[in-house]
Amino acid sequence: EVQLQASGGGLVQAGGSLRLSCAASRSTFVNHRVAWFRQAPGKEREAVSSISIWGHTTYYADSVKGRFTISSDDAKTTVYLQMNELKPEDTAVYYCAAALETLEWRITPHEVHLNPTEYSNWGQGTQVTVSS
């Protein structure tokens, strides 16, 4: 079973950039859907972005579209979330999560599978703080 390690969070001014990394261990991300979720204080955990390692398709929440980019390395052991033009409302703890993709996952839009309970493997969170 793949284990995940998230890193790359920090404190940045509004308009700045950060790159989060989600590294796999014990296995790779082959045949997985990898997603980034975030949770701000007092709010529910929300999906920010996801990527199908098999199909290379991606999803972005409307709030981050055009500013964030999700990608994976050729070895399929690390998934990145490049975050540009950061805003104070992006402040949250960011988590990466992974789930094995079934055929159904591969033929349906990413939006169908954004419930955190569908992801069985989670990394520890990494704090992102954007100051105004």
Side-chain angles (χ1 to χ4, degrees), residues 50-132:
S50 61
I51 184 168
S52 165
I53 302 301
W54 172 80
H56 305 289
T57 54
T58 59
Y59 159 83
Y60 298 96
D62 287 342
S63 59
V64 307
K65 209 170 284 185
R67 300 188 297 121
F68 290 11
T69 303
I70 192 169
S71 63
S72 65
D73 66 350
D74 290 341
K76 300 177 175 58
T77 58
T78 307
V79 169
Y80 303 99
L81 185 68
Q82 177 67 43
M83 306 186 297
N84 298 329
E85 300 174 38
L86 283 161
K87 304 176 181 181
E89 51 263 43
D90 294 318
T91 295
V93 178
Y94 284 69
Y95 300 89
C96 62
L100 279 171
E101 281 190 323
T102 65
L103 177 60
E104 188 271 342
W105 279 53
R106 291 175 177 176
I107 62 174
T108 54
H110 283 234
E111 287 88 335
V112 175
H113 296 288
L114 297 176
N115 190 322
T117 62
E118 297 185 276
Y119 292 77
S120 55
N121 304 94
W122 288 81
Q124 87 292 358
T126 184
Q127 176 71 47
V128 171
T129 303
V130 184
S131 62
S132 56

Side-chain angles (χ1 to χ4, degrees), residues 1-4 25-28 32 120-121:
E1 188 171 271
V2 65
Q3 291 189 335
L4 284 63
S25 61
R26 293 196 175 186
S27 183
T28 70
H32 283 77
S120 55
N121 304 94

